[in-house]
Amino acid sequence: MGYFAIALTLIMAVFVTAIYMVEAKVRDRDLAERSAAVARLFALKLDSDGNLMRAVARAMMGNQAIAEAFHRGDRDGLERNARDLFETLRSDHRITHLYFTGPDRINLYRLHTPAEHGDRIDRTTMLQAHSRKQAVQGLELGPLGTLTLRLVMPWRQREHSLGYVELGEEVKHLIDEVGDSLAVDLVVLIDKRYLERKQWQRGQALMNRQGDWDRFSSHVTLAQTSRLPTGLDNRALASLLNGESARIAEGERSLHMAMVPLENAAGHPIGKLAIMRDATALEATFNNYMAGVVLLSLAVAAGVLGVFYAALERVERDYRRQHELEHRLLHLDTEHQRMLQVEKLSALGTMVGGIAHQLNNPLVGVVNMAQLAEREAEDPARTRELLADIRHAGEDCRGFVRRMLEFSKISCFDSKPTDVAALIEDTVLMFRQTEARHLPVEVQLPDEPPLLTIDPILIRHALFNLLQNAAQATEGNAGITIRLEPLSDANSGAPGWSLSVADRGRGIAPEVMDKIFVPFFTTRSDGTGLGLPVVLHVVLLHDGQVTATNRPDGGTLFAIWLPQADRHPV
Ligand SMILES: Nc1ncnc2c1ncn2[C@@H]1O[C@H](COP(=O)(O)OP(=O)(O)OP(=O)(O)O)[C@@H](O)[C@H]1O
Ligand SMILES: [Mg+2]
């Protein structure tokens, strides 16, 4: 039971762990897919915003007043004619930078910081537009720690470069929109190797920000839609930078994080875009689901254990009952053996008593008569008489001893196919010669008397004994009936024949009935009590049976049953 419980617990644990792992994998894949979506949408956003800036730049170049002011190098004119447009772009499209720059890349006018002008611009986008003579767009990292999507469009007239129009948009605007669209928070992390600490700190002060340069060893936060979790340390950051995803607890919240690379306009990697997904609700649902699975597993395990326990108990109960039964049977068997022993001893006692009785009576007579003969020796006639009596007694003893010897010889028999009808007729004939009263004997035979493999001498002897007993029990002149008929064995159904002897005598008393087959049991003064034991012995040698019953209309019926099948001598 213990082993079964352990095995069941292990199976359940494996089952629950498997579910947990599958779920965790599904969550990881979901985050990976979301990260890929962020990267795609961010690139799309860069493209679409760049395209918007191109359209705006072209529109400005087509504006007569702005074009004339630019040609003249008229800052006031640019201010007057472009200001409204710039303010609309700033409020509606978050375009934060607008430059008018000369063909020598010297800045003419900045609408976002009108006071600064006259400097040479040598950012990547400007240099590329200058050399390629076409519009260039891309992310530009500023020394003060700004990241801006810039478009620089050359202003040309008939092969002549008039200068450049440049527009810029802070990356914060881009990550806000992408984050909103995909329901994630985004943080721009810049590799410190592309920034200088002092410049960056100056930029933070100018923009009124409190960025922490020392929080991470390799990167610094530049823009974010939400704070990075406080639990994110250098080690966790390193594994995220390696492309792995992480689950970080932030108070009650659980954040799943991953990163996608960030490149500047020149195609150089400058940092990472960190993606944070609030998985608190998802995890709560998952935890509830897992708790349900665990409870269900426990209930199933308890049910299975219960059923198994009940079955085991039943088996044990059955086993105990069987064991008890076997024990009782063994006990009964021992009792039975003891009873048989007692019965054997009592039969032996009866036998010895019988022999002693049979021999003692004539011997007592012999002694008495010998004493009388001594005393009356003078009377020769009396002495002869007594001597004749003594001889009779001796002959009785010899007869008894002969019968006993006959009894002991019965075990060797010689069976052969025998006409049973003829055997009966012979026996009746012999019986009539010895029986003084000439009692009528009726023989009832079947139409086709059988040929049975038997020992004819033994069976005749048995039948003769039954006829003798019947005659001895009969008072008056009542007849005896012998009947031969086919009869199957009541128990096995084996075919056979019944040979019965019925008399109309006194019957057998119930208390006597149990003892009639015991050797030396007799109710007759001149009987030896060996007649029926001989019958029983002969019948058993033939694999048959013998029964005695009192007939309802008076008298006794002895029936010998003999099997039909050919016997083989034992
Ligand atoms: N046909 C019968 N009717 C009534 N009692 C019988 C009959 N056959 C046998 N018995 C009883 O069974 C006893 C035993 O019979 P069994 O033939 O063994 O011995 P026995 O006839 O007494 O002596 P033996 O046969 O040696 O002369 C008889 O003494 C008698 O009481
Ligand atoms: Mg007898």
Side-chain angles (χ1 to χ4, degrees), residues 469 472 524 531:
N469 282 354
Q472 283 159 359
R524 294 193 302 110

Side-chain angles (χ1 to χ4, degrees), residues 283-300:
E283 280 195 354
T285 311
F286 174 68
N287 287 343
N288 288 343
Y289 167 70
M290 276 312 289
V293 167
V294 169
L295 278 179
L296 195 74
S297 301
L298 282 176
V300 169

Side-chain angles (χ1 to χ4, degrees), residues 21 44 65 129 152 168 180 218 220 238 250 311 367 430 439 458 464 510 537:
M21 281 166 69
L44 269 174
V152 181
D180 278 353
S218 59
V220 73
E250 172 85 334
V367 171
M430 199 170 76
L439 292 174
L458 293 185
F464 193 85
H537 195 65

Side-chain angles (χ1 to χ4, degrees), residues 529-547:
L530 284 174
L532 286 179
V534 164
V535 173
L536 177 65
H537 195 65
V538 166
V539 171
L540 289 179
L541 282 173
H542 285 82
D543 282 347
Q545 296 155 24
V546 57
T547 52

Side-chain angles (χ1 to χ4, degrees), residues 358 403 465-474 501-509 512-513 515-535 548 550 555-558:
Q358 290 294 332
R403 279 211 80 176
N465 269 332
L466 292 182
L467 283 170
Q468 252 186 347
N469 282 354
Q472 283 159 359
T474 303
V501 176
D503 61 55
R504 286 164 191 78
R506 59 181 179 275
I508 303 174
V512 172
M513 189 61 100
K515 301 176 199 150
I516 56 173
F517 290 102
V518 175
F520 302 108
F521 173 79
T522 179
T523 54
R524 294 193 302 110
S525 57
D526 57 342
T528 62
L530 284 174
L532 286 179
V534 164
V535 173
N550 282 321
T556 314
L557 181 115
F558 278 86

